[in-house]
Amino acid sequence: SGNIEQDADIVIFINRPEYYGINEDAEGNSLLNLIELIVAKNRNGSLGSTYMYRNDSWSYVGENSYEEYCSLSNKIPYNDILS
């Protein structure tokens, strides 16, 4: 995996807190149906996290329906991750 990490321009981890039984953040906000994208390496851009909404009933993942998470200090706009 060392070569992959060295050669990659962008490394993004996907975290679903709900999968691990974490249903609320420290402030009591619901984490149900949220996916956290963690940008751990971005050779030409920002590092940080952003959140996306997951609709389990029809396999939708999108950036709508998580406006309450825009106030998180390390959140970067989804459109800026891959630019």
Side-chain angles (χ1 to χ4, degrees):
S1 80
N3 289 337
I4 293 172
E5 292 170 14
Q6 289 175 351
D7 294 339
D9 289 333
I10 299 174
V11 176
I12 300 174
F13 297 107
I14 300 171
N15 179 36
R16 260 185 52 216
E18 179 182 1
Y19 178 82
Y20 300 101
I22 302 169
N23 297 324
E24 293 183 345
D25 65 10
E27 288 92 32
N29 299 313
S30 175
L31 298 175
L32 299 177
N33 296 319
L34 280 181
I35 296 172
E36 179 183 18
L37 300 176
I38 304 165
V39 181
K41 177 182 179 181
N42 190 351
R43 199 178 305 264
N44 299 311
S46 301
L47 301 179
S49 297
T50 192
Y51 294 86
M52 300 187 79
Y53 174 74
R54 177 177 71 90
N55 184 325
D56 205 20
S57 63
W58 39 280
S59 300
Y60 168 80
V61 174
E63 60 180 315
N64 296 327
S65 197
Y66 66 93
E67 289 80 14
E68 66 271 15
Y69 292 93
C70 291
S71 64
L72 295 174
S73 60
N74 66 342
K75 181 190 175 298
I76 56 176
Y78 175 71
N79 295 333
D80 292 347
I81 290 176
L82 301 177
S83 61

